Amino acid sequence: MAFQDYKPWLGITGSRWIGLDNFERIFQYKEATQAIINTLIIAVSKIIVGIIVPIVMAILLSEIRNMGIKKSVQTLVYLPHFLSWVTVAGLMIDILGLDGGINHILTRIFGNDPIYFLGDPDLFRFTVVISDVWKSFGFGMIVYLATIAGINPSYYEAAEIDGATRRQQIRYVTLPSMLPMIIVISTLSLGNILDAGFDQVFNLYNPLVYSTGDIIDTYVYRSSLLNGQYGFGTAVGLFKSGISLILIVVSYRLAYKYANYKIF
Amino acid sequence: MYHKTTGYRVFSYFNYAFMILAGLACFLPLLHLLAQSLSSKAAISGNMVSFWPVGFNVDAYIKTFNNSNFNGAMLTSITRTVLGTTISMFILTCAGYALSKEFRGRNVLMWFFIFTMLFSGGLIPSYILITALGLKDTIWALVLPGAFGAYNLILLVNFFKTIPKALEEAAFIDGASFFVILSKIYLPLSLPGIATVSLFIMVGHWNSWFDGILYMSDASKYPLASFLQTVVVQSNMQNMAMSQSEVAAMSEQSIKAAQIFVSTLPIILVYPFLQRYFVKGIVLGAVKE
């Protein structure tokens, strides 16, 4: 289909073959190129922030000695992961709106005009990344917390006897012990570089922010299912799948090479 | 020793405060939603509702449950979740059990499954396939495409692998068949794994909205999440064109809030019971010794 001028009423056997034309058009259409650029920017920021925040939070949480508080905080921060993006979008639209809670607080503190988080093209990517972190950092913490819990306590005792402060213990014991896990997670997330999160963007965006918020998946949806360019939409989708596959295989090999990680 | 330094104590206080704030930040939006759903219209449009209902009433809930579209969508969601989870778990446990053994061609088979996880034809081909199979507008379009998820398969295979071989051999000698071994030994012993994977699949079914919109041509057949998507998100997009004050007057925020809250409730209720399993489940699946 990606190589055809596909017409639903003619089917795959009846439609005209047009070779690579659909793929060439990806780079000719300004909107399509923009969608690819947006995808890359959003996905890369999400990956970077999505790795750093859970690591920092896991280290900070492991410093909390009161088990009751620790467990409650854990329970609460995992929760958003299980909410659907529809629900979260509903919350975000309400809270981030012009007269929503966040603007309420900001205008009271800084006295500025309300900020239109979801309708301002300059802010939209930022909003997407932040809301993604809000939803997923707790869940991302789980593996790091497990890694920290698995560190042999005698390392800390030894460090303490040598006079290490807590900060030095984290710097020289905790972080190096987490490194293999961090490498695995980061390399594996490379495979997601063309995946900026259809569910999220589709539910949060609107025509005002297409210029910076339209990603490959939402673009495919609009250009093909809504505008009937089936062959072209398929080509864009195939393009994305192909590149993602290569990236995932490469990142998997890297993870295996540097951290001896195997999925099964 | 470090516990006693002033620096650490100050850090500790800040850390406690910060962590509690982080926990609250994940939870307060939901509380806000609950408060809105229980508040009067005037209080909401006057922006008076934060985390406690103002002008307490349950009208929004009465309207929600009297809405036949909402109830129908709820029923569709429940059916698909139960049906989908059952089918998926049956396929996954059988496949996972087989694949946790060593046999010729196992790795080829495994890569074959994983390939499906990494590479998809994309939106349009999937859509045309489902239509061609005649699944469109039936509940099977929602249940079958995702029934065999490679990611969940990997979790289960890793789980089954941790069960000692000797147990199986002993059962064999006592005359147990493969199915008896699977149901009497493997399943009970890997309860955390089963619970985790079931939770993922259940939540996935409950939350997924896009397939509903894609495969159901009639809005009355939408599952709950798709229904909500049209109510909450799409109406908001249409409203973008109007000024904010008009929107505030038009949208019945309390009903929206009630609908979102009711649809989220099952997750909030199930989640605490399964939480202790899933932490174990994911970690065992992810951390390899």
Side-chain angles (χ1 to χ4, degrees), chain A:
Chain A
M1 272 178 70
F3 308 98
Q4 286 182 328
D5 180 19
Y6 185 83
K7 298 274 185 286
W9 56 91
L10 295 173
I12 292 180
T13 44
S15 294
R16 201 162 51 90
W17 290 91
I18 50 167
L20 290 173
D21 277 15
N22 280 327
F23 290 92
E24 276 166 26
R25 272 196 274 164
I26 297 176
F27 299 100
Q28 283 162 5
Y29 286 178
K30 222 174 132 245
E31 271 195 319
T33 328
Q34 185 63 44
I36 295 175
I37 295 169
N38 291 340
T39 309
L40 283 174
I41 295 174
I42 294 177
V44 170
S45 343
K46 270 188 182 175
I47 289 173
I48 294 170
V49 181
I51 287 171
I52 294 173
V53 172
I55 294 173
V56 173
M57 293 301 274
I59 292 176
L60 288 178
L61 190 66
S62 67
E63 288 300 306
I64 285 188
R65 298 271 171 261
N66 181 324
M67 282 317 273
I69 294 183
K70 192 170 171 177
K71 281 259 151 11
S72 333
V73 170
Q74 265 178 290
T75 308
L76 290 178
V77 296
Y78 298 157
L79 181 65
H81 175 81
F82 292 96
L83 303 179
S84 111
W85 267 116
V86 177
T87 307
V88 177
L91 291 173
M92 294 288 163
I93 288 167
D94 183 36
I95 295 171
L96 297 175
L98 276 183
D99 46 20
I102 301 282
N103 270 320
H104 213 63
I105 297 167
L106 288 181
T107 43
R108 200 168 283 176
I109 298 175
F110 301 108
N112 54 343
D113 288 332
I115 302 166
Y116 201 6
F117 289 98
L118 294 172
D120 185 337
D122 297 332
L123 279 172
F124 186 73
R125 288 176 187 154
F126 172 79
T127 314
V128 166
V129 173
I130 295 296
S131 56
D132 184 61
V133 167
W134 176 81
K135 190 173 184 296
S136 60
F137 84 90
F139 202 70
M141 271 170 43
I142 294 177
V143 279
Y144 297 117
L145 280 174
T147 316
I148 296 175
I151 298 173
N152 191 338
S154 55
Y155 290 146
Y156 291 108
E157 282 159 25
E160 212 168 325
I161 290 167
D162 290 346
T165 63
R166 191 63 194 162
R167 202 177 333 161
Q168 284 165 333
Q169 290 179 24
I170 290 173
R171 168 79 183 73
Y172 294 105
V173 179
T174 315
L175 276 179
S177 312
M178 288 168 79
L179 202 60
M181 196 38 119
I182 297 176
I183 293 175
V184 168
I185 304 264
S186 346
T187 43
L188 289 184
S189 63
L190 274 180
N192 291 333
I193 224 157
L194 286 184
D195 207 345
F198 175 79
D199 275 18
Q200 177 191 16
V201 174
F202 188 80
N203 281 316
L204 287 177
Y205 84 161
N206 55 70
L208 292 176
V209 291
Y210 279 172
S211 60
T212 58
D214 199 13
I215 59 171
I216 297 176
D217 294 323
T218 51
Y219 180 69
V220 170
Y221 177 73
R222 278 190 300 123
S223 68
S224 51
L225 278 190
L226 298 187
N227 295 335
Q229 301 171 299
Y230 293 99
F232 176 62
T234 310
V236 180
L238 193 68
F239 174 77
K240 187 197 151 194
S241 285
I243 292 187
S244 299
L245 178 70
I246 296 169
L247 285 171
I248 291 173
V249 173
V250 169
S251 62
Y252 179 72
R253 293 239 178 262
L254 286 177
Y256 181 63
K257 195 171 164 199
Y258 289 107
N260 203 17
Y261 176 83
K262 281 177 82 178
I263 337 177
F264 58 87

Side-chain angles (χ1 to χ4, degrees), chain B:
Chain B
M1 283 172 271
Y2 62 84
H3 298 288
K4 301 207 172 78
T5 62
T6 334
Y8 187 77
R9 279 227 300 277
V10 173
F11 160 76
S12 204
Y13 288 133
F14 272 110
N15 192 21
Y16 269 85
F18 183 63
M19 280 296 136
I20 291 170
L21 268 180
L24 286 179
C26 291
F27 163 72
L28 284 182
L30 279 174
L31 196 64
H32 175 59
L33 195 72
L34 178 64
Q36 278 195 332
S37 70
L38 292 169
S39 297
S40 70
K41 247 191 220 169
I44 293 174
S45 48
N47 223 339
M48 282 147 59
V49 185
S50 51
F51 303 116
W52 198 253
V54 178
F56 183 89
N57 71 74
V58 290
D59 288 354
Y61 286 92
I62 296 172
K63 276 187 194 152
T64 298
F65 284 114
N66 281 336
N67 182 337
S68 61
N69 282 339
F70 183 86
N71 291 335
M74 183 91 144
L75 193 68
T76 311
S77 269
I78 294 172
T79 321
R80 99 172 260 193
T81 305
V82 173
L83 196 67
T85 313
T86 318
I87 294 176
S88 287
M89 285 318 286
F90 179 74
I91 302 177
L92 285 173
T93 45
C94 291
Y97 176 63
L99 287 167
S100 68
K101 307 270 165 288
E102 291 300 327
F103 58 89
R104 244 165 55 116
R106 177 186 169 275
N107 278 345
V108 178
L109 207 58
M110 198 70 189
W111 272 112
F112 184 71
F113 292 139
I114 289 179
F115 184 76
T116 64
M117 179 169 89
L118 307 181
F119 188 84
S120 67
L123 180 64
I124 317 297
S126 318
Y127 176 79
I128 290 177
L129 176 69
I130 297 293
T131 317
L133 290 174
L135 296 178
K136 205 161 174 285
D137 284 324
T138 67
I139 192 142
W140 302 109
L142 308 177
V143 173
L144 292 181
F148 190 62
Y151 176 77
N152 293 325
L153 181 72
I154 295 170
L155 275 184
L156 271 185
V157 169
N158 282 342
F159 242 104
F160 286 153
K161 274 190 174 170
T162 60
I163 294 170
K165 282 262 178 306
L167 268 177
E168 188 180 9
E169 282 157 17
F172 245 134
I173 292 167
D174 290 345
S177 70
F178 281 116
F179 272 101
V180 175
I181 292 172
L182 175 61
S183 60
K184 292 269 161 66
I185 297 175
Y186 272 70
L187 294 189
L189 280 179
S190 44
L191 195 61
I194 305 277
T196 309
V197 174
S198 312
L199 175 73
F200 286 164
I201 296 175
M202 262 155 56
V203 170
H205 272 299
W206 189 258
N207 279 343
S208 76
W209 54 276
F210 186 59
D211 48 3
I213 291 180
L214 201 57
Y215 297 134
M216 298 294 152
S217 48
D218 185 0
S220 64
K221 288 184 188 150
Y222 278 178
L224 194 53
S226 315
F227 170 78
L228 268 187
Q229 208 269 341
T230 57
V231 171
V232 176
V233 179
Q234 289 184 12
S235 71
N236 184 66
M237 282 191 199
Q238 284 152 10
N239 288 344
M240 284 287 174
M242 292 178 273
S243 79
Q244 282 295 305
S245 56
E246 275 179 284
V247 176
M250 247 189 64
S251 63
E252 288 213 47
Q253 184 59 37
S254 62
I255 295 181
K256 274 190 201 171
Q259 287 176 336
I260 300 178
F261 193 77
V262 172
S263 71
T264 311
L265 203 60
I267 292 176
I268 301 177
L269 290 180
V270 172
Y271 157 78
F273 297 104
L274 288 170
Q275 193 214 351
R276 64 196 179 102
Y277 287 127
F278 85 67
V279 173
K280 240 202 243 166
I282 297 164
V283 169
L284 256 178
V287 182
K288 299 277 289 181
E289 299 302 327

